[in-house]
Amino acid sequence: MEKQILENHLNINRRKFLSRVSLGLGSVALGSLLIPDLFSGGPEDDAAEFMRGVPHFAPKAKRVIYLFQNGAPSQLESFDYKPKLREMVGQDLPESVRMGQRLTGMSSGQAHFPMAGSLFDFKQYGKSRAWISDLFPHTAKIVDDICIVKTLFTEAINHDPALTFFQTGAQQGNLPSFGSWMSYGLGSENKNLPAFCVLLSRGRGNGQGVYSKLWSNGFLDSIYQGVQFSSGDNPVLYLNDHKGIDKQSRRKMLDKLEEMNDLSYKEFGDPEISTKIQQYEMAYRMQTAVPDITDVSKEPDDTVKMYGPECLLPGTYAANCLLARKLSENGVRFVQLYHQGWDQHSNLPKEMPWQAMDVDQASAALVTDLKQRGLLDETLVIWGGEFGRTNYSQGKLEKDNYGRDHHPRCFSIWMAGGGIKPGIVYGETDEFGYNIVRDPVHVHDFHATCLHLLGLNHEKLTYKFQGRRYRLTDSAGKVVNGIMT
Amino acid sequence: MKFVIKRIAGNLLFAADVFILFLVLFESKMVIPAWLQSVGRMHPMFLHFPIVILLLAMGMEFFRFRTDLKEQSGFLDFTGALLLIGALSAAVTVIMGLLLSNESSYSGKTVQWHKWMGLGIVCIASIVYWSRNAKWYKAPTAKILTVLAVLCIIVTGHLGAGITHGEDFISNPLLARRASEKPPPDKAIIYADIIQPIFKSRCMTCHNPDKAKGRLLLDNPEDILKGGKSGKLFIAGHADSSLIIKRISLPEEEEKHMPLTGKPQLTKDEAELIFRWIQSGADFKKKWIDLQENDSLKLIAARFLAPPAEEVYDFAAAPEKTVAALSNNYRAVYPLAKESPALAVDFYNKSQYTAKALQDLLKVKKQIVQLNLNKMPVSDADLKVVSQFENLRVLNLDFSDITGAGLGQLSSLQYLKSLSLSGTRVDRKSIPPLLKIKSLQKIVLWNTGLTGAEIAQLQKENKNLRFLAGYQNDEPMHLSPPILVSQYSVFSDTTHVLLKHQIPGVEIRYTLDGSDPDSTHSAVFNKELVLNKTTVFKARAYKPTWLGSDSIVHFFYKSAYKPDSIIFISLPEDAYKGEGDSVLSDHITGSLGYNNGEWLGFRKDMKLLLQFIKPVSLRSVGLHLLKVIGSDIYPPTQVEIWGGMDKNHLSLLKTIRPVPAVKGEHPELFLEECKFPATRVRCIKLVALNVKKAPKWGNSPKKPGWIFMDEILLN
């Protein structure tokens, strides 16, 4: 009987069926051993996938210094040379170029949009023959070290949403800022200093405000928020112990305080308490670390000449640049400077040179300073604003006076340092300086690229909040390979 | 064959088939552990068995229904056994093949066909084995199935060989193609080592001497320059108008797009390289190292030639516990990336640095790739420890205590790429041992004992190394002016002049007589400068290697007496009332921004009465006034000072006629002083007549002008 069964393989009886079932299931089980979590249900937690504090792949840059020009500097008077505007000065912006771009409330009332050429001349510099305006002579000298990206674009048209977009990845607020994401992803290098510092300065031009939402930690742990340094003589207030308290007493006090906070934490489980404990400890360590850094009186004369004498006056942009270099070389991951006053809706020819003079020498000096200390290769330096300015004049166009309104469709920034291809100009805008012709870079792309240079995959650096995995680039962002080495 | 074995083998076949089905369905989710990968790799070895056995078995099965074989049980049994063994070995081979294909390096159409054909073999062999004794299984079926199986075997085998050995493995020697290996960048010739290999791999299946599609040959410079049926390939230097660029840039659907759709396509980098090579002149001899530093062709070519960007380290990772134990608040030790064995070390807070802190790192001396000792008091002796970190790539010794003497110890670091020595005491003599390090690419020498000329010379002599000299201050720079700290410009008795300058070591020279200070004749400012009369203070800052700053000018006014009360006979305008009469004697002067509450503005004649409780001996009355012709603020036309012991017995002490404003004058603050012989008074009346009709060039012509005053000086 068995023999017959064997011969007629397609015949089946109960015994054969049961043995076949067990064989079949056994094979499936064998295969499932090769598939991890086949039956565990649901995708794995992304947080487990990336080790916090370690980059996903070898980074090009370890630290960032972001020189944010608040108010939006005009690209047409800085890095985007458009001689056509001078030729067509006074003529209305053609609708074919404008293509229905929305206007702000300030120029929507205008009947005409007379195009205004730049009052300042441009010249070519460096091996890339980049055009740079006469307002930025020092930046022109370092053009072989920087990469000018002319084709940034955004959707936001007013300052608050645009700033928030650049700093937190979305136009609505309350999300973690760029520095916080970086802090969260990479941890802090030097445990004696905060990982994210913010320095403010303002120029004489028409300014817009900055607010702490731009360096907030959003829903991430509050240990990641930006620490704003004060603009006066004491960047960090109350750094020194009071008279009568010595280090040992301070230490004993902190230890006792930690004990008490710990009890509180055990009772309430509020993570803010442990953050607070950590911040007290960091403040204690900062007491020894910070005075050395903020003491600029020992800087050699050559350095002072390079940044300009203003760099020893606390609260100026130049002083902030010098402080930024010192913080960065001491392991602060993300130093952000804000320089206010670039919002030239009117009086541009008078105000823009003031603003440019405030920042030009110091920004170029910062890059040179990092380079001559061998630090430029591991530091990413970024210079730019939140959007660009229109090629038509806001308000009356006069021969030597005009203003420019907000323009989100194209603007210029420059980047230097870790992983950035030096000495190139990336992207091309049309001859009116209004639209992008080649290689657009959206704010999300900018964020993705920066994170990539820091060794972080922007799609994997996530945090689950309210049921959704948030990331700095939201659901977009492509790394721009053209500007990286 | 023994029955039991047959049964087991049959069951095994069934199990294997199900397993194969499962593997095929869930291929994408599988993660194959390392040991199974080895099993998968035995596929090329094992496949020989089913090929031979199945070919034989199929051959026998093909003839199974021949009249002389049909009844022979021996033949039938043996065929069955062969089929069973063949199918089983085929199943095993397919399983191995599926495991192997999971390795990511296998992709593409050929592999797909090979896989499905191979699965077809197992499928057909299993069907034949199981159903060969069924009622419906007759000669035609047997013949068709066996032939199909043999065809599958042949095709699978051929495709498989193609995957392993390359498509043209057999035909290769006939076409005599050279093997291509990519040289390192500094030895590469752009055409021969980059462009030619691209042509070879992407274009020469068609554009070779045998096929010569479009009469175009791409294997040698002459033929490339000659072009083909449609004309010359390119115009050197004008890539945009070149035929080859046009063809490779066409969308893939276009007929004339090159390479042909279906053939391996150019990658973005390869297309870019061809573009740039043509744009830069299509030189057949140019070397990579001859290109400019920032030439995009050079950068992309480097990527094409050189090993992958991310350096792969060949040493094992250090135990996690060791790394964690070495990291503390002042010495950070961390891996470069998630799964990298390489470690980076940073030191902070130089007061915490000890030689031991460096020696502790010897525990991970193999893994340290980057070491940052910036501003640490590292001595030459410490360099001995550093030299033991054999895999060091980046070393930063800025502002440390090393002298040049110890640098020779670093020559044992054979992978060192970047060395930073800024701010140290090294000099020209310290450099030669470093030049022996072959892997070194960059040395940073800012603020060292080497001069700019020495560094330039070193750069010239060593083209493969980059020497960074840093900022060289070539243009002398102006100092910023001194900053006045004194708050009060008006004083009653004496005043201390308080000045500061943010740059240390600055010398300030000043004058008190209104002349411009200079660096040799003027007095040197010190903190003890005290003024006791109205003075014009000018100061400038000087420092060696700087140009002198601009002057600052400041007026210090003396007002010895302060009235006990001021009565307004005529009132200031509402908008410019300031804080009332106290403004005039608060010793604070206003500024050009006349809205700040320090100024009183009158649009009619100004008449004030000042009273003293005790009589004072008065010799001068000064009015500190504002002139802004753009806002019609003019000097008064006439000032009268009346004085006396009480307000009803006043006599005219002095009358002056200030200089009127002229067109185009800049805004300024000025003093109108009325001097007279000393008189004892208890009461003073001040009368200032405003401009009744603003001039034609004024802001509001023919309207009354303004008088703005912020301080009255009584001496």
Side-chain angles (χ1 to χ4, degrees):
Chain A
M1 166 83 158
E2 286 284 348
K3 198 156 179 274
Q4 270 173 320
I5 288 170
L6 252 185
E7 308 271 55
N8 298 304
H9 299 287
L10 292 176
N11 292 343
I12 200 157
N13 64 7
R14 193 165 48 233
R15 182 181 301 175
K16 218 171 174 192
F17 174 75
L18 287 172
S19 67
R20 285 274 159 94
V21 163
S22 61
L23 276 173
L25 278 178
S27 291
V28 170
L30 191 64
S32 76
L33 285 178
L34 287 172
I35 302 179
D37 302 325
L38 176 65
F39 301 114
S40 69
E44 319 88 67
D45 200 55
D46 273 322
E49 237 191 70
F50 83 93
M51 238 164 79
R52 279 247 313 281
V54 182
H56 298 145
F57 44 87
K60 297 268 172 50
K62 288 198 197 153
R63 291 163 228 112
V64 178
I65 300 182
Y66 194 168
L67 307 167
F68 196 80
Q69 310 304 318
N70 188 22
S74 163
Q75 76 278 17
L76 299 165
E77 269 82 18
S78 55
F79 303 111
D80 212 357
Y81 178 49
K82 298 294 161 196
K84 185 129 188 125
L85 291 176
R86 270 203 190 161
E87 285 167 30
M88 297 182 68
V89 66
Q91 294 180 37
D92 234 17
L93 177 67
E95 189 54 44
S96 59
V97 176
R98 194 184 134 220
M99 291 194 285
Q101 165 66 32
R102 70 171 160 159
L103 304 164
T104 70
M106 293 174 275
S107 45
S108 59
Q110 279 181 217
H112 298 289
F113 302 104
M115 294 195 281
S118 159
L119 208 58
F120 306 100
D121 289 328
F122 277 69
K123 295 193 187 52
Q124 288 183 288
Y125 297 91
K127 297 199 186 105
S128 55
R129 312 307 301 147
W131 289 98
I132 298 188
S133 113
D134 286 347
L135 289 178
F136 293 89
H138 289 92
T139 310
K141 288 208 189 99
I142 59 159
V143 74
D144 283 332
D145 290 320
I146 64 176
C147 163
I148 302 177
V149 184
K150 298 212 284 195
T151 48
L152 260 289
F153 72 100
T154 174
E155 285 84 32
I157 197 158
N158 211 343
H159 297 283
D160 186 6
L163 274 174
T164 313
F165 199 8
F166 248 100
Q167 302 305 333
T168 68
Q171 290 188 38
Q172 299 77 29
N174 300 317
L175 291 179
S177 56
F178 190 177
S180 297
W181 279 110
M182 194 182 158
S183 204
Y184 165 68
L186 296 175
S188 91
E189 237 183 287
N190 182 350
K191 302 276 182 295
N192 308 313
L193 290 172
F196 180 10
C197 293
V198 177
L199 306 167
L200 306 180
S201 59
R202 59 165 19 142
R204 282 176 289 164
N206 180 30
Q208 292 293 328
V210 286
Y211 7 79
S212 57
K213 155 171 74 155
L214 300 174
W215 51 86
S216 109
N217 52 294
F219 45 72
L220 295 175
D221 217 43
S222 41
I223 197 77
Y224 302 121
Q225 63 183 278
V227 174
Q228 181 192 346
F229 277 40
S230 173
S231 292
D233 277 317
N234 290 319
V236 180
L237 299 168
Y238 310 121
L239 197 58
N240 298 315
D241 290 325
H242 275 295
K243 277 204 272 282
I245 300 185
D246 62 343
K247 272 265 182 181
Q248 281 85 341
S249 314
R250 166 73 75 191
R251 187 67 251 167
K252 276 203 278 191
M253 185 271 279
L254 283 174
D255 288 336
K256 208 61 180 171
L257 192 61
E258 183 177 345
E259 252 176 74
M260 288 165 59
N261 279 332
D262 235 359
L263 287 173
S264 212
Y265 182 64
K266 286 198 181 69
E267 191 180 334
F268 298 110
D270 185 356
E272 288 292 311
I273 297 177
S274 69
T275 303
K276 193 111 188 172
I277 298 175
Q278 286 178 63
Q279 287 182 324
Y280 274 122
E281 286 304 313
M282 163 120 77
Y284 177 71
R285 291 195 294 269
M286 272 170 82
Q287 284 188 303
T288 38
V290 170
D292 201 25
I293 297 172
T294 54
D295 179 17
V296 291
S297 63
K298 297 200 192 66
E299 289 298 316
D301 238 15
D302 262 354
T303 305
V304 176
K305 282 191 193 156
M306 191 168 63
Y307 283 89
E310 261 196 348
C311 72
L312 295 179
L313 281 174
T316 57
Y317 180 82
N320 284 347
C321 278
L322 181 57
L323 191 56
R325 186 267 290 165
K326 299 185 74 146
L327 285 169
S328 187
E329 79 179 339
N330 275 288
V332 175
R333 283 249 189 237
F334 198 101
V335 182
Q336 186 153 44
L337 271 65
Y338 286 90
H339 190 64
Q340 298 161 274
W342 290 94
D343 197 25
Q344 269 77 63
H345 285 283
S346 58
N347 261 327
L348 190 147
K350 198 175 358 168
E351 290 189 4
M352 185 124 178
W354 296 340
Q355 292 293 115
M357 209 158 66
D358 283 344
V359 310
D360 181 41
Q361 186 174 4
S363 311
L366 179 63
V367 173
T368 312
D369 203 7
L370 289 168
K371 186 172 175 193
Q372 69 194 14
R373 288 163 194 270
L375 293 173
L376 189 60
D377 281 339
E378 43 186 60
T379 315
L380 177 62
V381 182
I382 310 166
W383 186 103
E386 64 262 39
F387 41 62
R389 301 207 87 89
T390 55
N391 57 356
Y392 56 81
S393 170
Q394 178 180 349
K396 190 155 152 218
L397 169 63
E398 286 164 31
K399 192 165 129 221
D400 55 359
N401 198 10
Y402 52 91
R404 296 195 191 277
D405 202 353
H406 305 163
H407 184 60
R409 262 201 214 161
C410 65
F411 57 105
S412 306
I413 66 169
W414 60 255
M415 301 168 79
I420 294 283
K421 220 187 265 184
I424 64 166
V425 177
Y426 185 80
E428 206 43 72
T429 48
D430 68 9
E431 52 193 0
F432 294 94
Y434 202 85
N435 294 309
I436 293 175
V437 166
R438 203 161 61 91
D439 300 327
V441 178
H442 189 257
V443 179
H444 286 313
D445 299 329
F446 165 75
H447 285 147
T449 312
C450 290
L451 286 175
H452 187 264
L453 291 169
L454 294 163
L456 294 166
N457 182 340
H458 71 105
E459 288 169 354
K460 292 225 182 85
L461 182 65
T462 59
Y463 186 89
K464 193 163 175 184
F465 177 67
Q466 287 182 343
R468 155 150 121 96
R469 258 170 272 275
Y470 280 87
R471 64 186 212 220
L472 178 61
T473 46
D474 202 15
S475 48
K478 279 198 320 282
V479 175
V480 180
N481 286 307
I483 60 173
M484 306 197 299
T485 55
Chain B
M1 197 188 200
K2 259 191 111 175
F3 173 72
V4 166
I5 297 176
K6 227 176 171 189
R7 194 184 59 188
I8 294 174
N11 286 339
L12 266 177
L13 179 62
F14 178 76
D17 283 359
V18 174
F19 187 69
I20 289 174
L21 186 63
F22 181 88
L23 284 183
V24 168
L25 286 175
F26 292 103
E27 212 169 22
S28 50
K29 296 225 178 75
M30 290 199 300
V31 174
I32 314 286
W35 61 272
L36 263 184
Q37 278 187 16
S38 285
V39 170
R41 289 181 175 214
M42 290 195 233
H43 172 80
M45 171 200 62
F46 206 83
L47 55 86
H48 297 90
F49 293 93
I51 289 180
V52 172
I53 298 174
L54 274 181
L55 278 177
L56 185 58
M58 291 301 172
M60 288 172 71
E61 182 74 359
F62 183 85
F63 295 115
R64 177 205 173 161
F65 286 99
R66 268 168 53 122
T67 33
D68 52 340
L69 295 171
K70 170 147 85 157
E71 302 303 329
Q72 289 195 38
S73 64
F75 177 84
L76 290 172
D77 280 352
F78 186 58
T79 313
L82 269 187
L83 276 170
L84 175 57
I85 298 173
L88 202 50
S89 57
V92 170
T93 307
V94 164
I95 291 171
M96 286 180 178
L98 284 170
L99 290 178
L100 181 58
S101 73
N102 205 280
E103 284 187 33
S104 51
S105 48
Y106 290 92
S107 59
K109 276 219 200 115
T110 317
V111 176
Q112 292 297 319
W113 272 103
H114 174 77
K115 183 169 81 176
W116 289 104
M117 287 270 130
L119 286 165
I121 298 176
V122 176
C123 201
I124 298 174
S126 302
I127 291 173
V128 169
Y129 172 70
W130 279 327
S131 53
R132 62 193 289 267
N133 289 324
K135 283 218 187 59
W136 48 267
Y137 186 89
K138 294 266 201 297
T141 324
K143 290 197 175 158
I144 293 173
L145 281 175
T146 50
V147 168
L148 257 178
V150 168
L151 280 174
C152 278
I153 293 173
I154 293 176
V155 173
T156 311
H158 178 76
L159 291 173
I163 296 170
T164 314
H165 301 288
E167 295 270 38
D168 43 359
F169 182 60
I170 297 177
S171 57
N172 211 341
L174 300 171
L175 295 174
R177 289 202 189 132
R178 281 185 299 122
S180 58
E181 224 189 57
K182 296 208 184 91
D186 31 355
K187 296 203 186 67
I189 301 173
I190 301 286
Y191 166 70
D193 297 316
I194 299 174
I195 306 294
Q196 179 59 359
I198 297 178
F199 284 164
K200 212 167 30 160
S201 62
R202 309 286 186 205
C203 318
M204 294 219 316
T205 35
C206 298
H207 295 292
N208 59 59
D210 289 335
K211 250 175 170 177
K213 286 269 179 161
R215 289 211 292 278
L216 174 68
L217 294 177
L218 288 176
D219 58 343
N220 61 76
E222 295 81 46
D223 284 318
I224 292 177
L225 283 171
K226 218 194 298 182
K229 191 169 69 169
S230 313
K232 284 216 175 16
L233 263 189
F234 53 78
I235 307 168
H238 296 275
D240 279 326
S241 14
S242 298
L243 179 63
I244 182 175
I245 300 297
K246 288 195 182 137
R247 287 290 173 91
I248 65 179
S249 318
L250 279 174
E252 260 192 67
E253 310 87 55
E254 289 291 323
E255 227 193 290
K256 292 209 191 287
H257 167 83
M258 285 292 135
L260 282 179
T261 332
K263 296 252 187 269
Q265 292 294 308
L266 285 169
T267 66
K268 199 153 171 275
D269 266 356
E270 289 170 345
E272 181 92 27
L273 281 167
I274 297 178
F275 180 93
R276 292 200 179 274
W277 176 66
I278 296 176
Q279 186 71 3
S280 66
D283 191 325
F284 288 96
K285 299 252 176 4
K286 200 163 197 177
K287 295 212 186 98
W288 183 84
I289 46 174
D290 291 332
L291 289 172
Q292 291 277 2
E293 256 308 309
N294 293 318
D295 194 344
S296 302
L297 177 58
K298 189 171 197 181
L299 292 164
I300 307 175
R303 263 211 306 262
F304 196 74
L305 289 165
E310 210 175 299
E311 194 174 349
V312 179
Y313 302 104
D314 58 358
F315 48 83
E320 256 181 55
K321 277 220 189 75
T322 321
V323 175
L326 283 173
S327 237
N328 59 35
N329 282 335
Y330 307 105
R331 176 182 62 199
V333 183
Y334 50 93
L336 279 186
K338 202 161 84 158
E339 264 137 34
S340 179
L343 295 175
V345 180
D346 291 326
F347 278 82
Y348 303 110
N349 206 332
K350 65 176 175 217
S351 56
Q352 301 285 335
Y353 174 81
T354 57
K356 183 162 185 309
L358 193 55
Q359 279 161 10
D360 280 344
L361 291 171
L362 285 170
K363 289 194 200 107
V364 288
K365 65 179 179 180
K366 250 209 195 150
Q367 283 82 12
I368 297 185
V369 159
Q370 293 179 10
L371 180 57
N372 184 353
L373 289 163
N374 182 7
K375 297 217 173 112
M376 293 296 127
V378 176
S379 62
D380 284 328
D382 291 332
L383 285 181
K384 196 153 174 293
V385 177
V386 173
S387 65
Q388 294 185 50
F389 301 138
E390 50 196 75
N391 282 304
L392 208 51
R393 306 295 199 266
V394 177
L395 178 60
N396 189 329
L397 289 166
D398 287 353
F399 293 96
S400 58
D401 292 341
I402 60 164
T403 63
L407 282 181
Q409 295 171 78
L410 296 176
S411 48
S412 61
L413 298 170
Q414 42 170 315
Y415 294 105
L416 193 63
K417 280 209 264 199
S418 161
L419 177 62
S420 194
L421 296 168
S422 299
T424 57
R425 277 176 287 162
V426 302
D427 56 15
R428 179 66 184 84
K429 293 195 284 292
S430 337
I431 304 296
L434 296 173
L435 300 176
K436 292 206 198 80
I437 306 176
K438 293 276 167 249
S439 55
L440 202 52
Q441 291 173 1
K442 182 170 84 163
I443 306 184
V444 188
L445 290 167
W446 171 71
N447 204 4
T448 56
L450 286 98
T451 65
E454 285 172 339
I455 297 178
Q457 182 65 18
L458 275 170
Q459 180 71 80
K460 239 186 13 189
E461 290 167 1
N462 298 284
K463 285 241 167 75
N464 297 334
L465 265 179
R466 266 174 63 211
F467 289 88
L468 293 178
Y471 174 73
Q472 310 285 342
N473 172 231
D474 38 15
E475 297 160 28
M477 196 173 275
H478 277 280
L479 276 172
S480 54
I483 302 169
L484 192 73
V485 179
S486 313
Q487 236 194 341
Y488 296 105
S489 311
V490 184
F491 58 96
S492 48
D493 193 18
T494 55
T495 186
H496 228 116
V497 179
L498 299 165
L499 272 188
K500 75 169 185 181
H501 199 285
Q502 72 266 31
I503 298 177
V506 150
E507 181 188 72
I508 301 178
R509 300 235 178 208
Y510 69 95
T511 59
L512 300 174
D513 57 0
S515 63
D516 257 334
D518 71 51
S519 54
T520 38
H521 299 117
S522 311
V524 178
F525 179 80
N526 56 45
K527 292 206 217 8
E528 274 73 55
L529 182 62
V530 170
L531 301 175
N532 57 11
K533 56 183 168 70
T534 299
T535 330
V536 170
F537 180 81
K538 284 196 183 176
R540 284 173 79 171
Y542 291 97
K543 190 174 177 185
T545 72
W546 291 80
L547 290 178
S549 73
D550 291 333
S551 310
I552 57 161
V553 183
H554 199 81
F555 291 89
F556 287 96
Y557 300 107
K558 183 164 179 182
S559 181
Y561 306 119
K562 195 168 157 169
D564 295 303
S565 71
I566 302 180
I567 300 175
F568 289 99
I569 302 174
S570 72
L571 287 170
E573 298 301 311
D574 270 338
Y576 301 102
K577 270 204 297 230
E579 279 149 52
D581 59 279
S582 61
V583 160
L584 296 173
S585 51
D586 61 357
H587 286 195
I588 298 176
T589 52
S591 62
L592 285 174
Y594 46 79
N595 261 322
N596 61 359
E598 277 300 320
W599 295 93
L600 296 179
F602 294 80
R603 211 170 185 186
K604 44 184 176 309
D605 291 337
M606 177 176 79
K607 294 186 185 137
L608 301 173
L609 200 66
L610 285 70
Q611 286 175 309
F612 298 86
I613 299 175
K614 285 212 189 70
V616 295
S617 176
L618 204 60
R619 258 188 313 181
S620 88
V621 174
L623 278 70
H624 195 237
L625 302 163
L626 181 65
K627 178 169 63 186
V628 182
I629 60 173
S631 306
D632 279 334
I633 303 175
Y634 301 107
T637 51
Q638 181 169 301
V639 178
E640 295 167 4
I641 311 290
W642 298 75
M645 280 312 203
D646 71 75
K647 62 179 186 205
N648 299 313
H649 296 96
L650 296 170
S651 50
L652 180 58
L653 296 172
K654 186 80 179 195
T655 310
I656 61 165
R657 289 206 166 72
V659 175
V662 294
K663 177 175 178 180
E665 269 181 350
H666 288 295
E668 65 173 355
L669 294 89
F670 64 102
L671 182 70
E672 285 302 336
E673 209 175 356
C674 307
K675 288 204 175 84
F676 42 85
T679 321
R680 278 183 71 83
V681 292
R682 262 224 297 249
C683 184
I684 299 186
K685 185 161 102 173
L686 243 141
V687 178
L689 304 177
N690 68 332
V691 169
K692 297 297 180 290
K693 284 211 180 111
K696 272 205 297 282
W697 40 265
N699 196 24
S700 320
K702 307 247 181 92
K703 291 266 167 61
W706 292 78
I707 298 179
F708 267 64
M709 185 167 74
D710 69 344
E711 202 76 13
I712 302 178
L713 309 169
L714 303 161
N715 287 300

